[in-house]
PDB file of all heavy atoms in Angstrom:
ATOM      1  N   LEU A  86     172.079  -1.642  80.689  1.00  0.00           N
ATOM      2  CA  LEU A  86     172.805  -0.502  81.236  1.00  0.00           C
ATOM      3  C   LEU A  86     173.723   0.144  80.236  1.00  0.00           C
ATOM      4  O   LEU A  86     174.454   1.104  80.522  1.00  0.00           O
ATOM      5  CB  LEU A  86     173.679  -1.020  82.425  1.00  0.00           C
ATOM      6  CG  LEU A  86     172.907  -1.461  83.589  1.00  0.00           C
ATOM      7  CD1 LEU A  86     173.850  -2.163  84.614  1.00  0.00           C
ATOM      8  CD2 LEU A  86     172.162  -0.316  84.270  1.00  0.00           C
ATOM      9  N   GLY A  87     173.649  -0.337  78.984  1.00  0.00           N
ATOM     10  CA  GLY A  87     174.529   0.274  77.955  1.00  0.00           C
ATOM     11  C   GLY A  87     175.946  -0.330  78.047  1.00  0.00           C
ATOM     12  O   GLY A  87     176.285  -1.035  78.972  1.00  0.00           O
ATOM     13  N   PRO A  88     176.746  -0.013  77.063  1.00  0.00           N
ATOM     14  CA  PRO A  88     178.137  -0.541  77.001  1.00  0.00           C
ATOM     15  C   PRO A  88     178.846  -0.165  78.304  1.00  0.00           C
ATOM     16  O   PRO A  88     178.720   0.911  78.781  1.00  0.00           O
ATOM     17  CB  PRO A  88     178.823   0.149  75.825  1.00  0.00           C
ATOM     18  CG  PRO A  88     177.675   0.739  75.055  1.00  0.00           C
ATOM     19  CD  PRO A  88     176.493   0.900  75.897  1.00  0.00           C
ATOM     20  N   GLN A  89     179.609  -1.153  78.827  1.00  0.00           N
ATOM     21  CA  GLN A  89     180.242  -0.960  80.125  1.00  0.00           C
ATOM     22  C   GLN A  89     181.770  -1.059  79.955  1.00  0.00           C
ATOM     23  O   GLN A  89     182.286  -1.730  79.085  1.00  0.00           O
ATOM     24  CB  GLN A  89     179.824  -2.025  81.099  1.00  0.00           C
ATOM     25  CG  GLN A  89     178.318  -2.023  81.382  1.00  0.00           C
ATOM     26  CD  GLN A  89     177.900  -0.967  82.354  1.00  0.00           C
ATOM     27  OE1 GLN A  89     178.398  -0.871  83.443  1.00  0.00           O
ATOM     28  NE2 GLN A  89     176.917  -0.101  81.899  1.00  0.00           N
ATOM     29  N   VAL A  90     182.465  -0.303  80.839  1.00  0.00           N
ATOM     30  CA  VAL A  90     183.941  -0.508  80.927  1.00  0.00           C
ATOM     31  C   VAL A  90     184.226  -0.796  82.414  1.00  0.00           C
ATOM     32  O   VAL A  90     183.488  -0.410  83.301  1.00  0.00           O
ATOM     33  CB  VAL A  90     184.728   0.762  80.480  1.00  0.00           C
ATOM     34  CG1 VAL A  90     184.431   1.081  79.061  1.00  0.00           C
ATOM     35  CG2 VAL A  90     184.479   1.886  81.396  1.00  0.00           C
ATOM     36  N   SER A  91     185.369  -1.542  82.623  1.00  0.00           N
ATOM     37  CA  SER A  91     185.638  -1.777  84.040  1.00  0.00           C
ATOM     38  C   SER A  91     186.113  -0.490  84.698  1.00  0.00           C
ATOM     39  O   SER A  91     186.640   0.386  84.056  1.00  0.00           O
ATOM     40  CB  SER A  91     186.716  -2.830  84.087  1.00  0.00           C
ATOM     41  OG  SER A  91     188.012  -2.250  83.825  1.00  0.00           O
ATOM     42  N   TYR A  92     185.855  -0.416  85.998  1.00  0.00           N
ATOM     43  CA  TYR A  92     186.253   0.790  86.727  1.00  0.00           C
ATOM     44  C   TYR A  92     187.712   1.051  86.614  1.00  0.00           C
ATOM     45  O   TYR A  92     188.214   2.155  86.598  1.00  0.00           O
ATOM     46  CB  TYR A  92     185.848   0.684  88.157  1.00  0.00           C
ATOM     47  CG  TYR A  92     184.593   1.473  88.511  1.00  0.00           C
ATOM     48  CD1 TYR A  92     183.385   0.871  88.736  1.00  0.00           C
ATOM     49  CD2 TYR A  92     184.630   2.840  88.560  1.00  0.00           C
ATOM     50  CE1 TYR A  92     182.234   1.584  89.003  1.00  0.00           C
ATOM     51  CE2 TYR A  92     183.509   3.600  88.853  1.00  0.00           C
ATOM     52  CZ  TYR A  92     182.294   2.937  89.065  1.00  0.00           C
ATOM     53  OH  TYR A  92     181.184   3.692  89.319  1.00  0.00           O
ATOM     54  N   ARG A  93     188.473  -0.054  86.581  1.00  0.00           N
ATOM     55  CA  ARG A  93     189.958   0.092  86.522  1.00  0.00           C
ATOM     56  C   ARG A  93     190.330   0.806  85.197  1.00  0.00           C
ATOM     57  O   ARG A  93     191.177   1.674  85.158  1.00  0.00           O
ATOM     58  CB  ARG A  93     190.644  -1.234  86.554  1.00  0.00           C
ATOM     59  CG  ARG A  93     190.422  -1.963  87.817  1.00  0.00           C
ATOM     60  CD  ARG A  93     191.622  -2.730  88.313  1.00  0.00           C
ATOM     61  NE  ARG A  93     191.551  -2.856  89.758  1.00  0.00           N
ATOM     62  CZ  ARG A  93     190.836  -3.861  90.357  1.00  0.00           C
ATOM     63  NH1 ARG A  93     190.219  -4.735  89.639  1.00  0.00           N
ATOM     64  NH2 ARG A  93     190.755  -3.866  91.691  1.00  0.00           N
ATOM     65  N   THR A  94     189.688   0.436  84.118  1.00  0.00           N
ATOM     66  CA  THR A  94     189.944   1.056  82.776  1.00  0.00           C
ATOM     67  C   THR A  94     189.565   2.525  82.846  1.00  0.00           C
ATOM     68  O   THR A  94     190.345   3.383  82.412  1.00  0.00           O
ATOM     69  CB  THR A  94     189.122   0.387  81.667  1.00  0.00           C
ATOM     70  OG1 THR A  94     189.347  -1.050  81.771  1.00  0.00           O
ATOM     71  CG2 THR A  94     189.493   0.901  80.310  1.00  0.00           C
ATOM     72  N   LEU A  95     188.394   2.822  83.367  1.00  0.00           N
ATOM     73  CA  LEU A  95     187.919   4.218  83.486  1.00  0.00           C
ATOM     74  C   LEU A  95     188.889   5.065  84.269  1.00  0.00           C
ATOM     75  O   LEU A  95     189.352   6.068  83.785  1.00  0.00           O
ATOM     76  CB  LEU A  95     186.549   4.191  84.182  1.00  0.00           C
ATOM     77  CG  LEU A  95     185.975   5.574  84.509  1.00  0.00           C
ATOM     78  CD1 LEU A  95     185.645   6.342  83.306  1.00  0.00           C
ATOM     79  CD2 LEU A  95     184.696   5.385  85.400  1.00  0.00           C
ATOM     80  N   PHE A  96     189.251   4.602  85.462  1.00  0.00           N
ATOM     81  CA  PHE A  96     190.158   5.373  86.288  1.00  0.00           C
ATOM     82  C   PHE A  96     191.495   5.545  85.661  1.00  0.00           C
ATOM     83  O   PHE A  96     192.112   6.600  85.674  1.00  0.00           O
ATOM     84  CB  PHE A  96     190.303   4.676  87.686  1.00  0.00           C
ATOM     85  CG  PHE A  96     189.201   4.948  88.681  1.00  0.00           C
ATOM     86  CD1 PHE A  96     187.955   5.409  88.193  1.00  0.00           C
ATOM     87  CD2 PHE A  96     189.394   4.800  90.016  1.00  0.00           C
ATOM     88  CE1 PHE A  96     186.935   5.648  89.037  1.00  0.00           C
ATOM     89  CE2 PHE A  96     188.335   5.055  90.920  1.00  0.00           C
ATOM     90  CZ  PHE A  96     187.132   5.515  90.414  1.00  0.00           C
ATOM     91  N   PHE A  97     192.002   4.495  85.019  1.00  0.00           N
ATOM     92  CA  PHE A  97     193.349   4.572  84.443  1.00  0.00           C
ATOM     93  C   PHE A  97     193.340   5.701  83.398  1.00  0.00           C
ATOM     94  O   PHE A  97     194.265   6.547  83.435  1.00  0.00           O
ATOM     95  CB  PHE A  97     193.715   3.216  83.787  1.00  0.00           C
ATOM     96  CG  PHE A  97     194.998   3.261  83.016  1.00  0.00           C
ATOM     97  CD1 PHE A  97     196.205   3.377  83.693  1.00  0.00           C
ATOM     98  CD2 PHE A  97     195.018   3.265  81.666  1.00  0.00           C
ATOM     99  CE1 PHE A  97     197.410   3.483  83.066  1.00  0.00           C
ATOM    100  CE2 PHE A  97     196.269   3.350  80.983  1.00  0.00           C
ATOM    101  CZ  PHE A  97     197.447   3.440  81.631  1.00  0.00           C
ATOM    102  N   PHE A  98     192.409   5.721  82.497  1.00  0.00           N
ATOM    103  CA  PHE A  98     192.432   6.754  81.466  1.00  0.00           C
ATOM    104  C   PHE A  98     192.154   8.149  82.006  1.00  0.00           C
ATOM    105  O   PHE A  98     192.779   9.111  81.512  1.00  0.00           O
ATOM    106  CB  PHE A  98     191.448   6.405  80.303  1.00  0.00           C
ATOM    107  CG  PHE A  98     192.037   5.336  79.427  1.00  0.00           C
ATOM    108  CD1 PHE A  98     191.594   4.056  79.421  1.00  0.00           C
ATOM    109  CD2 PHE A  98     193.121   5.725  78.587  1.00  0.00           C
ATOM    110  CE1 PHE A  98     192.182   3.104  78.586  1.00  0.00           C
ATOM    111  CE2 PHE A  98     193.730   4.773  77.763  1.00  0.00           C
ATOM    112  CZ  PHE A  98     193.236   3.446  77.769  1.00  0.00           C
ATOM    113  N   GLU A  99     191.263   8.265  82.964  1.00  0.00           N
ATOM    114  CA  GLU A  99     191.016   9.635  83.464  1.00  0.00           C
ATOM    115  C   GLU A  99     192.237  10.205  84.191  1.00  0.00           C
ATOM    116  O   GLU A  99     192.487  11.390  84.119  1.00  0.00           O
ATOM    117  CB  GLU A  99     189.711   9.675  84.292  1.00  0.00           C
ATOM    118  CG  GLU A  99     189.727   8.963  85.582  1.00  0.00           C
ATOM    119  CD  GLU A  99     188.328   8.896  86.247  1.00  0.00           C
ATOM    120  OE1 GLU A  99     187.320   8.864  85.518  1.00  0.00           O
ATOM    121  OE2 GLU A  99     188.314   8.850  87.501  1.00  0.00           O
ATOM    122  N   TYR A 100     193.010   9.340  84.870  1.00  0.00           N
ATOM    123  CA  TYR A 100     194.180   9.796  85.553  1.00  0.00           C
ATOM    124  C   TYR A 100     195.430   9.926  84.694  1.00  0.00           C
ATOM    125  O   TYR A 100     196.306  10.700  84.971  1.00  0.00           O
ATOM    126  CB  TYR A 100     194.514   8.871  86.720  1.00  0.00           C
ATOM    127  CG  TYR A 100     193.460   8.768  87.808  1.00  0.00           C
ATOM    128  CD1 TYR A 100     193.298   7.567  88.530  1.00  0.00           C
ATOM    129  CD2 TYR A 100     192.571   9.781  88.046  1.00  0.00           C
ATOM    130  CE1 TYR A 100     192.323   7.483  89.540  1.00  0.00           C
ATOM    131  CE2 TYR A 100     191.592   9.703  88.989  1.00  0.00           C
ATOM    132  CZ  TYR A 100     191.443   8.551  89.734  1.00  0.00           C
ATOM    133  OH  TYR A 100     190.490   8.445  90.642  1.00  0.00           O
ATOM    134  N   LEU A 101     195.409   9.162  83.567  1.00  0.00           N
ATOM    135  CA  LEU A 101     196.578   9.253  82.717  1.00  0.00           C
ATOM    136  C   LEU A 101     196.711  10.641  82.039  1.00  0.00           C
ATOM    137  O   LEU A 101     197.845  11.069  81.925  1.00  0.00           O
ATOM    138  CB  LEU A 101     196.420   8.157  81.592  1.00  0.00           C
ATOM    139  CG  LEU A 101     197.598   7.902  80.733  1.00  0.00           C
ATOM    140  CD1 LEU A 101     198.679   7.266  81.553  1.00  0.00           C
ATOM    141  CD2 LEU A 101     197.284   7.000  79.561  1.00  0.00           C
ATOM    142  N   GLY A 102     195.549  11.190  81.729  1.00  0.00           N
ATOM    143  CA  GLY A 102     195.621  12.563  81.141  1.00  0.00           C
ATOM    144  C   GLY A 102     196.370  13.550  81.899  1.00  0.00           C
ATOM    145  O   GLY A 102     197.375  14.071  81.405  1.00  0.00           O
ATOM    146  N   PRO A 103     195.968  13.836  83.178  1.00  0.00           N
ATOM    147  CA  PRO A 103     196.749  14.810  83.978  1.00  0.00           C
ATOM    148  C   PRO A 103     198.203  14.406  84.137  1.00  0.00           C
ATOM    149  O   PRO A 103     199.056  15.237  84.176  1.00  0.00           O
ATOM    150  CB  PRO A 103     196.028  14.749  85.352  1.00  0.00           C
ATOM    151  CG  PRO A 103     194.677  14.260  85.038  1.00  0.00           C
ATOM    152  CD  PRO A 103     194.797  13.369  83.873  1.00  0.00           C
ATOM    153  N   LEU A 104     198.438  13.089  84.241  1.00  0.00           N
ATOM    154  CA  LEU A 104     199.829  12.645  84.465  1.00  0.00           C
ATOM    155  C   LEU A 104     200.699  13.010  83.262  1.00  0.00           C
ATOM    156  O   LEU A 104     201.901  13.327  83.469  1.00  0.00           O
ATOM    157  CB  LEU A 104     199.849  11.096  84.711  1.00  0.00           C
ATOM    158  CG  LEU A 104     201.197  10.535  85.081  1.00  0.00           C
ATOM    159  CD1 LEU A 104     201.653  11.102  86.447  1.00  0.00           C
ATOM    160  CD2 LEU A 104     201.026   9.010  85.259  1.00  0.00           C
ATOM    161  N   ILE A 105     200.157  12.942  82.117  1.00  0.00           N
ATOM    162  CA  ILE A 105     200.988  13.204  80.900  1.00  0.00           C
ATOM    163  C   ILE A 105     200.891  14.680  80.440  1.00  0.00           C
ATOM    164  O   ILE A 105     201.918  15.243  80.086  1.00  0.00           O
ATOM    165  CB  ILE A 105     200.457  12.330  79.747  1.00  0.00           C
ATOM    166  CG1 ILE A 105     200.672  10.859  80.093  1.00  0.00           C
ATOM    167  CG2 ILE A 105     201.121  12.707  78.409  1.00  0.00           C
ATOM    168  CD1 ILE A 105     200.706   9.906  78.992  1.00  0.00           C
ATOM    169  N   LEU A 106     199.677  15.274  80.626  1.00  0.00           N
ATOM    170  CA  LEU A 106     199.561  16.630  80.120  1.00  0.00           C
ATOM    171  C   LEU A 106     200.360  17.651  80.902  1.00  0.00           C
ATOM    172  O   LEU A 106     200.959  18.568  80.348  1.00  0.00           O
ATOM    173  CB  LEU A 106     198.083  17.058  80.116  1.00  0.00           C
ATOM    174  CG  LEU A 106     197.192  16.437  79.003  1.00  0.00           C
ATOM    175  CD1 LEU A 106     195.721  16.693  79.277  1.00  0.00           C
ATOM    176  CD2 LEU A 106     197.573  17.033  77.655  1.00  0.00           C
TER     177      LEU A 106
END
Side-chain angles (χ1 to χ4, degrees):
Chain A
L86 293 171
Q89 300 282 305
V90 300
S91 79
Y92 257 106
R93 297 218 155 83
T94 309
L95 172 65
F96 279 21
F97 176 70
F98 281 107
E99 66 189 32
Y100 298 152
L101 191 68
L104 187 60
I105 297 199
L106 285 169

